[in-house]
Structure formats: C-alpha cells, structure tokens
Amino acid sequence: MDFELNDTQKLIQATARELARKVVRPLARDMEASEAVDTAMLRALAEAGLVGVAVQGDLGGADAGAVAYALAIEEVAKACASTAVTLAVTNMVCEVVARFGSPAQRERVCPRLCSGEWRAASFALSEPEAGSDPGSMRTTATRTPAGWVLRGAKQWVTNGAIADVFVVWARTDSSATNVHAKSTKGLSCFLIERAEVNPSEFAVGRHEDKMGLRASSTTALELNECHIPPEAVLGAVGDGFRIAMTALDGGRIGIAAQALGVGERALELGVRYARERSQFGRPIAEFQALQRMIADSRTELDAARLLTLRAAWGKQTQKGVTQESSMAKLFASEAAWRVCNRMLQIHGGYGYTREFDVERLWRDVRVAQIYEGTSEIQRWVIARSF
Ligand code: CAA
C-alpha cells in the first residue's frame, strides 16, 4: 500500500494551496459580508485547472483524477468553505456531462466550465417536497414536437444565482398517471443553459438566508412551462435516478474533502490561539483538557482524510464507491463539526465573536452533515450496502 501522492496530485495540491492562501482567503470575509462569491476569483481557480480536475484533457479538464480533486477542494475549503462548495458542485456537473453527455453536450459544456468562461454550474435535483427522497420529485418533463416542456420547482440549488448551466431532473414517465407517486423510475436528466431559455420560464427564485456558507448562492428554481430542445436530454430518457446517484457518489467525496479542509483550518487556528493565549501564568496549550481536544481533533481529521482519499482512489480506479463515499462524507462532516466546536471552545469568549474566523468555520461546516445526503441517509446507504 502506497500513501505517497504522485507528482500530478502534489502539483494540484500545491496549486490549490497557493491560490487558496493568496487569492481566496483574503476575500473570504468580504464575500461572506456581501453574500456573493467573487466571480473573478472563480475564473482564476478555473484557469489554474481546478474545474474539471478529474475530467479528461480533450474536454479541457486537468485529467488528474479524483484524489487530486479531493486534495484541491480541501485546500480551497481551508480558505473559504463557500468557494469550495461552489467549485465542488461545478466540478460535479462537469463530470456528469463528461460521463453521461452526448459528444455535442460534452464539447459545448466541459471546455467552457473548465476554462472559467462559464462561471459555475448547478445540480438541480431536490425539490421542496423531495429532499432525502428525490424519487418522489414532482417536476415533470413532457415531450412535445419541438422538444420538452418542464413544469415544477427545484430547491437548494447551489450556484443558482451564478450558474451558466444547470443539470435539472424531471419525471418523464408519461405512463405514470399519478406524478406524485414515489418512483425512482421514469426520471430523466436535462442540460439547460441559462442564456438559451426564456427567463420567465426558467426563473431563479429566492436566495436562501443561510446560517453559514453565506457567500455561496443557494436558490430555488421555478420551471414555468419551460421549453427546451430535444437535444437537452442528458443520458438516456428514464435513466435520471441512476445518473443522480452516480454523481452523488462522487459529490459526497467533494463534501467530505470540504469538511476536512474546514476542520483542518479550525485546528490550525485553535492550536495557534492556545499557544498564544496565557491564563494562570502559562499558555492554555499546556492544560491537559485542551491537549485532549487537540489530540482527538488531529486523530479524527487524519481518519477523515484516509476515508476521503480511499473513496477518491476507488472512484478513479473505477471501483464502486457508494458505501466508501458515504462513509467518507458521514465521518468527515461529523468529525469536522466536532473539531470546529472544540476549537471555538478553545477560543473562549473570543471564539463567539465575528472577530475570529473560527466562528465562521463553525457555522460553515454544519451543513456538510445535511447537503448531498444527510448523515441519516449516509448511514442508511452504508448499512444497506452489506
Ligand atoms: N449508483 C448507481 N445506481 C444507484 C445508486 C448508486 N449509488 N443508488 C441507487 N441506485 C439505483 C438502484 O440500483 C436502483 O436501480 P434499479 O431500480 O434498476 O434496481 C435505483 O437506483 C433505485 O434505488 P433505490 O431503490 O435504492 O432508491 P431509494 O429511493 O431507496 O433511494 C437513497 C436511495 C440512497 C436514499 C437516495 O434517495 C439518496 O441518496 N437520497 C439522498 C439524496 C441527496 O443526497 N440529495 C442531495 C441533492 S444535491 C444537494 O444537496 C444540493 C447541492 O447542490 C450541494
């Protein structure tokens, strides 16, 4: 077993680390205050090869594999978790198109995302009444002589306000008389360019006022008789659920890496503070109670890293990683949450103020236990994989 990164992985990690420190981190506070990710910064990340990290070179990707991708997301998340999720979802959509798209779709979408010409992409699966259970979605797509008409509403669409391209799921099973019936069959996937649809038919809705990840755009999406051409179908008609689940197997590795990066940054800040802050005549780092917090945090983050990289390695070596990616996301998101909580505690009263970044990390990391499948869903996936 070899735990060494190869040269390509080291290069992607170093590139992401450098950009995260020099370009992303200085913007993080302002982006949170303005509730918007800096799009010039997104372009710089794409130009450095951080969009389409695992997408093949002939489509504009870095062709560096899922391990390099996880390393990149971790580095960006250390600087700004909002930027990391923006980037992670764009990467996920780029991979979905590269894997399931027609040659025309691949050649149109992937190079534009990888180069940063298009700012971001969205994955519109969830609905107000279909979160953990996407098989119960109500959005429909009806075939017409001119293509398809989509009707419904999507929810929790990451990058909704800034995406130039969306992957949207809808029910296409015309034999289903009751579209509200739960069914993972008869769902299909559509690729929609924002510039190509009528804005009144494809309306980006409310911007969610979230506890954390405040710079990341999360919106609703209204599909009001939205007309799209026949070639907008992504993959085979009726194969939408499998495409979504396959994408989430990879997406969950990205969320694990994001949580890991936030946890690592919190630990770095907590250790630094514990060494600088003195009480009772000595640095608080010398107290065993704090050393225990630091030791447990270091150990749990290393365990999270191993699970995350194992899942990523499995993905890039074409193994089925449903269980592995769920374990990585479950453990990394919960471990990073514990680490942020402990490090906030080490900061004492100061940790509860906006002056110290640990407060933002604590808010940002919480959602990793919720999106791309809650911890409860991950446990279900893991348990039933036996
Ligand atoms: N890969 C490939 N195929 C899969 C699969 C996987 N990981 N998981 C299931 N499938 C297939 C099954 O084999 C089955 O195929 P057949 O019908 O041919 O047998 C089909 O899909 C249906 O599977 P299930 O019966 O297992 O489906 P289910 O309804 O029981 O649901 C679930 C399974 C795992 C709970 C799934 O619903 C799930 O993952 N839910 C969570 C959804 C989620 O993560 N949503 C987040 C959306 S994205 C987001 O958060 C926003 C963002 O932008 C960040």
Side-chain angles (χ1 to χ4, degrees):
M1 190 183 289
D2 186 0
F3 285 92
E4 275 298 308
L5 301 179
N6 65 30
D7 288 346
T8 306
Q9 291 158 350
K10 283 182 190 160
L11 180 65
I12 294 278
Q13 184 185 45
T15 305
R17 184 172 293 165
E18 167 105 351
L19 269 172
R21 283 188 185 157
K22 292 194 174 154
V23 180
V24 184
R25 190 187 293 167
L27 294 170
R29 277 176 170 256
D30 284 350
M31 290 194 295
E32 159 154 290
S34 62
E35 294 184 39
V37 75
D38 185 305
T39 51
M41 175 208 62
L42 286 182
R43 180 151 194 150
L45 296 178
E47 285 171 353
L50 303 187
V51 176
V53 177
V55 167
Q56 55 267 43
D58 60 351
L59 294 176
D63 208 5
V67 169
Y69 167 66
L71 296 168
I73 294 295
E74 179 191 347
E75 293 303 327
V76 174
K78 286 181 190 169
C80 174
S82 291
T83 303
V85 75
T86 304
L87 199 60
V89 173
T90 302
N91 269 278
M92 174 162 68
V93 170
C94 197
E95 282 190 41
V96 169
V97 177
R99 177 159 177 190
F100 296 102
S102 65
Q105 287 170 328
R106 288 203 293 263
E107 280 155 28
R108 174 148 182 87
V109 171
C110 296
R112 286 175 172 78
L113 287 176
C114 293
S115 66
E117 180 188 337
W118 283 352
R119 297 172 295 185
S122 284
F123 188 87
L125 177 71
S126 301
E127 299 186 357
E129 302 297 328
S132 291
D133 179 15
S136 65
M137 72 174 58
R138 298 176 181 187
T139 296
T140 58
T142 311
R143 209 190 283 262
T144 68
W148 297 87
V149 179
L150 271 57
R151 299 177 181 87
K154 293 290 170 180
Q155 183 80 342
W156 313 122
V157 181
T158 297
N159 300 339
I162 58 168
D164 293 300
V165 65
F166 295 71
V167 179
V168 179
W169 277 261
R171 188 170 297 286
T172 45
D173 183 357
S174 57
S175 67
T177 48
N178 176 8
V179 294
H180 303 303
K182 176 195 177 311
S183 170
T184 57
K185 307 284 178 208
L187 302 185
S188 302
C189 201
F190 298 89
L191 191 60
I192 301 179
E193 284 178 40
R194 187 195 292 271
E196 298 295 313
V197 278
N198 182 330
S200 67
E201 296 178 4
F202 185 88
V204 172
R206 195 183 69 225
H207 170 80
E208 298 296 342
D209 186 11
K210 307 190 295 294
M211 168 203 273
L213 291 188
R214 292 187 66 80
S216 130
S217 156
T218 310
T219 69
L221 189 60
E222 287 157 26
L223 301 156
N224 307 315
E225 307 268 329
C226 179
H227 293 77
I228 52 174
E231 60 273 15
V233 178
L234 183 79
V237 171
D239 203 23
F241 194 80
R242 190 183 66 85
I243 293 173
M245 292 300 115
T246 307
L248 285 168
D249 282 351
R252 287 167 184 164
I253 297 170
I255 302 304
Q258 180 208 24
L260 181 59
V262 179
E264 286 287 355
R265 178 66 179 154
L267 181 57
E268 188 184 323
L269 294 176
V271 170
R272 186 192 299 167
Y273 185 84
R275 285 184 175 144
E276 287 169 358
R277 170 81 171 165
S278 279
Q279 290 289 275
F280 304 101
R282 52 185 167 145
I284 60 173
E286 291 183 12
F287 290 98
Q288 270 192 348
L290 274 71
Q291 288 174 357
R292 180 182 171 150
M293 290 188 205
I294 290 166
D296 287 352
S297 297
R298 180 68 271 144
T299 307
E300 289 174 29
L301 289 180
D302 270 22
R305 169 167 294 99
L306 290 171
L307 280 172
T308 303
L309 295 183
R310 181 185 67 163
W313 171 79
K315 179 171 177 253
Q316 77 182 33
T317 52
Q318 318 291 328
K319 296 179 174 39
V321 290
T322 301
Q323 191 183 37
E324 287 79 1
S325 64
S326 282
M327 285 194 276
K329 180 185 180 288
L330 171 67
F331 189 84
S333 62
E334 295 194 348
W337 162 247
R338 290 191 293 274
V339 171
C340 289
N341 208 30
R342 290 180 194 126
M343 298 306 122
L344 191 148
Q345 187 71 14
I346 284 178
H347 280 74
Y350 294 108
Y352 200 61
T353 69
R354 292 274 156 102
E355 195 184 335
F356 286 79
D357 280 348
V358 73
E359 172 270 343
R360 170 167 55 83
L361 302 179
W362 186 87
R363 286 184 288 107
D364 283 351
V365 84
R366 183 63 181 82
V367 73
Q369 294 171 66
I370 298 171
Y371 61 14
E372 295 205 23
T374 60
S375 284
E376 293 70 30
I377 289 292
Q378 307 311 329
R379 287 190 168 90
W380 189 27
V381 170
I382 295 161
R384 68 183 203 167
S385 298
F386 287 102

